[in-house]
Structure formats: structure tokens, C-alpha cells
Amino acid sequence: MLKIYVFFLTLCQILHKIETFEENTEFDVHVETLVNTKNGGDPSFLTKFVNDKGIPQGLKGENYINPSFCSNIDDQVLTDEKYSNCTILQSKNGSVLKLNFWTNFDTFKFGVNLLELKNVTLELVYQTELTYLYFTAFRKCEDCLFNFTKNPSLVGLRFWNLAHDPNLENVPAKHRPKLYIRGNSRLSFTTFTGDRRKLLELKKACNPEMCVIQNDEECHFRYPIKGSNEYQYCRHVYGDMHFTGTFRENNPAEMKFVIEGCFIFNRTKAQYVRGLLKSFPKCSRQHIFEHNQYMCTDQLDQIKERWGHEKVKIISDGINVKCYQGECRGGFVSEAVKDRYSGCETFQGDVYLSETSGNLSERIKELSYAHTINGQLLIANNPSITKLSFPFLKKIKSTKCPALQISNMTNLEFLLFQSHVEFSCRRSGPIVMITNSSKLYLHHQMLRQLRKVKAVLRHFDSKSDTYSEKTTYYLIGGCFVIAIFMEFIWFFRKNLLLPNFLYRLFPMRINRKPKQKHGKKKKED
């Protein structure tokens, strides 16, 4: 691969130095690495590929090949690189020449050498080596097709001689090549002057019976898509887009392009699919959404309304989730998936954490917005969690028991629920079970609430249990006794003989009734 890149880089440099070279855009001068593999590493032989104007013309005069090898072809499929030396290629009954089986150098040499085709289809599909197809000297075609699709590394395609032929209008349409060019992601036909000219040249040279030329930078995805970065620069998509379990994004990026194919989501971790509503699909079959555990039901319904119910096939586990109303599917909580439960108020299904969840400090914050869990809340075997807070949780309602289970949380110290959380499960068994969490402290209100639902509490700090249940009563009783005692002292303070310092701290004023003055009695005469 590296040698191929160096070859074309050297070719670009030589063409750039030719003073009479009229079109600097004939080759991609921005290619970084290309290889020279011929003539012992001497790049001078590359000048044989161009004429005095710098236009690629190929190697001439290779007459050692038997003409009948090129002109009387019986095979239906041609893969031999010897055909790269043919300037005229004719088949008796129609043949397909597969360029994928050739080395990159021979593909280039075949392109610039080729003059005529008859009853032959040239095919290049899924080419991953950097490839230039410059049929610059090509002059005549009879019942031929150039079929180039889904090649991520096809960067150049031209018919220079036909496009610049002053007598092209006199050339019958059947002698022009049929073109089917789709899904080549690096093949650019932008509105800029240089690239736009290439597009006009192709349209001018091709047979109007079939002249299919892709839109600018049209993508094709042969394999399942792993991330939004793979399609973020696509302006048009040719073929289906597959999303499987390797796609772990919670919210796929917007797809603002036309897709001439279908969306297939199978067992992905995606939750929101609003980004699909920005696309313009042209699906001839059905879009398939199959067993996507976290996907929003209301957004899928919106897609069905937009694209048509008959065009969308949904296979799910039967749990309906209305993300627009703050609902989320339950499931495994992991640090690997960000924003999975951000803003979720209602969980539909079980929510569980384990040792494989990782460090969940950020994910726990997402869970803290929960109001209702319609399923089990299972927390086990995770030493990284020290605090769990569910300040808004009002209800855990499960069809299985226990509704809440906390076990083997060796470093869990703090657990916060509302003072009135409703725990319920339909089957027999404990509704709440907390075991083997030695550092866990439960507040007395939490303990009282758990015991009302007959929770199973085992193997955690019994001292914290006793303290949290009884200390409040001791404090209240002690305060009551002290208040009665102080009231008694205050009431009898006048009649008690107390230490002098208390009288200095609490001076008392004794109010005595003043003596009544009686008038003197007059003496009797």
C-alpha cells in the first residue's frame, strides 16, 4: 500500500513540474503518500505517461501481447492483469472486467492506455487502495459500461479526450460510455470551479442511455457503523446504514442527508433517535428497529408517522417508553455510556448496578432524578460506590421480589431516600433486602420505614442500627426531664437553699407587701 502511495506522489510532482501542463487539477496534488514501484525506483519513466501538454496518455507501443488475447474474449469474468496492456478490448458475448483484482499501478496503466471497448463492463467495487481512473485517451465505446460503486478510495475519474473532442456532437450516443458512478465517498464534484468542470466533462462524455453520476461526496457503508463520526461529513448516502451492538452512542448525531437505502438498528445501545428525523430516506423495503433495549417508543412512533407505518418495522420487548415525558428504559448502569439516564424521572424496567459497572460517580447523579421505578432496583458488588442518593424517589413497583436489593456493597456508607417511599412487589418474598454492607448507615426514619415493609436487614453495622432507632427517643426523653427539673427549680427558687453563686447568676427580687398604716384613735373625752 505504501509503495502505491509513493508512486502516485512522485507522479504528481513530475506533472506539476511540466511547464506545458495545462490543468493542475488533473491529479490530486494533495495526496500525502504515494509510491513509485517501477523501473528500479527511477521516477523518470513517469514522463512516458503524459503528452506534451501534460495530459496522461499512458505507455504506448507495447506490441508484445497477442491481439487476439484482447479482441476475441470468451470468458465472462476477467481478472488477469495482462489485460492492463490492452489498448482495445473486445468481448464476443459480453464480459465483466473486475479491476479489483489488479494492482493499483496496473489499474492506472490500463486506464490511461485504453482506447476502445466493445461488449465489456468495467467494474470496480469496494476498492480500498487509493485509485485514479483516468481514461484520458479513450475515444470509442460500443455497448460498454463503467460500473464504479462503493469505493472509499476512488479519487479521480476522467474522460479527457472525449470531453475535449470538438466533434463530440457527431459521435453517436451508442459510442459513448455508459456510466454508473455511486457511493464513492472521496470522489468530489463540488460547486467549486475546478471540480465542477470535471462533473460537466463526465456528463458531456457519457451515454445518455445511462449516465448516473453520484452527488458530491456520496458515502456508502459496507460494514456496521460504530460511531457518528463516520457519517458526519456525508452529504448523500448510497445504500443501507447498519447499526449493531458495536454502536454504543446514547444519542446518534443528526443525519442531515438523503439516504438511498434503509436504516437498520439491531441491538444497539441508542436511546434517542431524533437525529433520524433530519434525514430524507428513500427506502424501497422497510426500516428495521429490532431489539434495541433503550430506544424511545414515542420517537419511534414519530418516525412511523413521518415515514409511513408500512415502511417501518419495529421488534421490541413490549416495554413502551415516552422519552418526551421524562421516561427511560431500565437496564444496566455503566460508566461506559454517558447521559443514559440524564433527566429520567420514570424508569420502565429493572435498574441494576454491579462490579462491572465501574466507577459510577457521574452515573449516580443521573439516577438521582428518578421519581418512579417500575421494576427492581438491584445494587450489588460494587466497591467504588460510597454514597447513593435518591432524594426524589417516591415509588419502586416491581413484579418480582425484592423490589429493592442492596448486597455486598463493601464501601457503601450513605443511603438516602425520601421519608415516604412506596416499595411493592407482586410475588412472594421480601420486599426489601439489604445484606453484607458493613459500612452502611441507615437513618432511623429509613429504618422505621423499612421495618414497616418487613425488610430483611443483615450483616451491616448493628451499632448504627441501634443508635439510629433509639437515640432520638433518648434525646427527646432527656430534654423533657431536664425541662421539668428546671421548671421545678424555678418554681421553688424562693424556698430552696441554693449555693450563693446561683443567686449571683440568677439574682432574685423578693417583693413583700408594704405594712398598712392605721390612723391614731382619738381619745375619748
Side-chain angles (χ1 to χ4, degrees):
M1 182 70 70
L2 181 61
K3 292 181 178 180
I4 297 171
Y5 285 168
V6 173
F7 163 71
F8 281 107
L9 181 61
T10 307
L11 179 62
C12 294
Q13 292 174 346
I14 291 174
L15 292 176
H16 186 68
K17 292 180 180 179
I18 298 177
E19 295 181 358
T20 57
F21 186 46
E22 293 181 344
E23 301 181 10
N24 293 328
T25 58
E26 183 67 41
F27 293 94
D28 186 354
V29 297
H30 300 292
V31 177
E32 296 181 356
T33 52
L34 295 166
V35 186
N36 170 19
T37 59
K38 298 293 180 178
N39 204 34
D42 181 6
S44 62
F45 86 103
L46 294 176
T47 56
K48 300 176 182 179
F49 278 92
V50 297
N51 61 13
D52 56 351
K53 295 182 178 181
I55 304 301
Q57 296 293 338
L59 296 170
K60 305 293 183 181
E62 297 190 25
N63 298 321
Y64 58 86
I65 191 168
N66 188 341
S68 63
F69 180 79
C70 302
S71 302
N72 299 304
I73 301 174
D74 293 323
D75 296 336
Q76 295 297 312
V77 180
L78 313 178
T79 59
D80 197 330
E81 293 184 10
K82 290 183 178 180
Y83 290 107
S84 64
N85 294 313
C86 295
T87 57
I88 299 176
L89 197 64
Q90 297 180 351
S91 173
K92 294 181 179 178
N93 302 313
S95 301
V96 177
L97 183 70
K98 293 183 177 291
L99 298 176
N100 297 81
F101 290 90
W102 300 9
T103 65
N104 194 277
F105 176 82
D106 286 317
T107 303
F108 176 81
K109 183 173 67 171
F110 174 73
V112 296
N113 282 342
L114 188 64
L115 300 177
E116 296 182 14
L117 279 179
K118 183 177 181 180
N119 296 331
V120 176
T121 295
L122 298 184
E123 184 178 278
L124 185 71
V125 181
Y126 294 132
Q127 176 67 283
T128 57
E129 287 185 328
L130 197 64
T131 302
Y132 293 85
L133 292 174
Y134 292 133
F135 301 97
T136 48
F138 191 78
R139 63 195 182 196
K140 186 178 179 181
C141 180
E142 186 175 343
D143 195 17
C144 67
L145 171 64
F146 293 78
N147 181 23
F148 306 133
T149 60
K150 311 165 191 174
N151 299 290
S153 297
L154 175 60
V155 294
L157 176 63
R158 300 198 63 183
F159 290 85
W160 192 91
N161 187 62
L162 279 175
H164 293 79
D165 187 352
N167 300 316
L168 183 61
E169 295 181 357
N170 299 325
V171 177
K174 65 179 182 179
H175 290 165
R176 302 182 192 179
K178 298 177 183 178
L179 299 182
Y180 190 81
I181 316 299
R182 297 301 307 271
N184 306 281
S185 56
R186 293 192 60 178
L187 198 58
S188 176
F189 299 120
T190 66
T191 55
F192 296 110
T193 304
D195 290 335
R196 183 67 177 174
R197 174 180 48 78
K198 295 179 183 178
L199 175 61
L200 295 176
E201 287 181 3
L202 281 177
K203 289 183 176 180
K204 184 178 180 181
C206 74
N207 189 329
E209 183 178 337
M210 179 176 287
C211 190
V212 179
I213 302 174
Q214 69 181 53
N215 291 279
D216 185 33
E217 296 175 351
E218 184 175 82
C219 302
H220 173 79
F221 300 96
R222 183 180 185 184
Y223 301 106
I225 297 170
K226 295 182 179 180
S228 297
N229 60 310
E230 294 184 29
Y231 60 78
Q232 63 179 338
Y233 298 113
C234 295
R235 302 183 184 182
H236 205 101
V237 174
Y238 176 70
D240 297 339
M241 295 181 70
H242 292 259
F243 300 82
T244 63
T246 58
F247 188 85
R248 295 183 174 271
E249 293 182 14
N250 181 48
N251 190 9
E254 293 183 344
M255 304 178 186
K256 298 180 179 179
F257 46 69
V258 174
I259 167 175
E260 296 191 30
C262 304
F263 289 106
I264 301 174
F265 282 78
N266 183 16
R267 303 182 189 278
T268 69
K269 306 300 180 183
Q271 178 179 358
Y272 304 104
V273 286
R274 290 169 295 193
L276 274 69
L277 295 171
K278 299 286 186 178
S279 66
F280 302 92
K282 299 179 180 179
C283 180
S284 59
R285 307 183 314 278
Q286 280 185 316
H287 303 279
I288 298 176
F289 298 86
E290 183 175 3
H291 299 303
N292 299 282
Q293 181 179 359
Y294 302 100
M295 200 162 283
C296 303
T297 307
D298 54 355
Q299 293 184 15
L300 288 175
D301 291 340
Q302 191 175 359
I303 287 176
K304 291 174 70 174
E305 292 293 333
R306 179 77 63 85
W307 297 346
H309 289 260
E310 72 285 352
K311 284 291 186 179
V312 180
K313 181 180 180 181
I314 300 175
I315 303 174
S316 66
D317 53 11
I319 298 178
N320 292 326
V321 176
K322 299 178 180 179
C323 294
Y324 289 121
Q325 298 181 17
E327 292 184 355
C328 295
R329 289 177 183 265
F332 181 68
V333 182
S334 171
E335 66 175 338
V337 183
K338 298 181 179 180
D339 303 322
R340 165 73 70 213
Y341 302 113
S342 180
C344 294
E345 297 181 0
T346 301
F347 288 85
Q348 303 289 3
D350 299 338
V351 179
Y352 51 98
L353 304 82
S354 71
E355 69 276 8
T356 57
S357 296
N359 190 338
L360 292 168
S361 57
E362 293 298 325
R363 306 290 86 78
I364 294 300
K365 293 179 182 178
E366 297 174 4
L367 293 176
S368 65
Y369 294 99
H371 287 65
T372 303
I373 298 177
N374 292 320
Q376 290 181 300
L377 177 58
L378 306 176
I379 305 170
N381 306 315
N382 194 312
S384 67
I385 299 177
T386 58
K387 295 181 180 180
L388 283 172
S389 178
F390 298 89
F392 304 108
L393 189 62
K394 299 177 181 179
K395 181 189 298 183
I396 301 179
K397 185 177 180 181
S398 175
T399 57
K400 299 172 287 185
C401 290
L404 170 64
Q405 181 175 353
I406 299 175
S407 61
N408 302 321
M409 299 296 291
T410 55
N411 291 316
L412 182 62
E413 300 176 355
F414 180 75
L415 178 64
L416 174 65
F417 284 95
Q418 274 195 10
S419 58
H420 300 287
V421 180
E422 178 186 342
F423 300 97
S424 63
C425 58
R426 296 181 183 178
R427 298 179 184 176
S428 60
I431 299 177
V432 177
M433 180 181 290
I434 301 178
T435 59
N436 297 321
S437 301
S438 58
K439 295 183 180 181
L440 177 61
Y441 169 80
L442 295 177
H443 193 269
H444 69 279
Q445 291 180 343
M446 188 67 191
L447 273 173
R448 189 184 306 118
Q449 185 177 2
L450 294 179
R451 283 176 176 151
K452 284 183 180 179
V453 296
K454 299 180 181 180
V456 175
L457 307 174
R458 297 173 183 167
H459 307 109
F460 67 96
D461 193 350
S462 60
K463 293 182 181 180
S464 66
D465 183 2
T466 304
Y467 174 82
S468 60
E469 179 70 18
K470 298 179 179 180
T471 299
T472 302
Y473 297 109
Y474 292 154
L475 290 174
I476 294 175
C479 292
F480 182 75
V481 170
I482 292 173
I484 295 297
F485 177 75
M486 293 302 296
E487 187 68 23
F488 175 81
I489 294 295
W490 184 259
F491 184 78
F492 293 102
R493 68 188 185 280
K494 298 178 182 178
N495 301 316
L496 294 175
L497 191 59
L498 299 175
N500 290 333
F501 76 90
L502 289 178
Y503 291 104
R504 286 194 295 270
L505 292 175
F506 305 100
M508 293 183 294
R509 181 181 298 172
I510 300 175
N511 296 323
R512 296 180 179 178
K513 292 181 180 180
K515 292 182 179 181
Q516 293 181 357
K517 295 181 180 181
H518 300 284
K520 294 181 179 181
K521 295 181 179 180
K522 294 182 179 180
K523 294 181 179 181
E524 295 180 358
D525 295 338

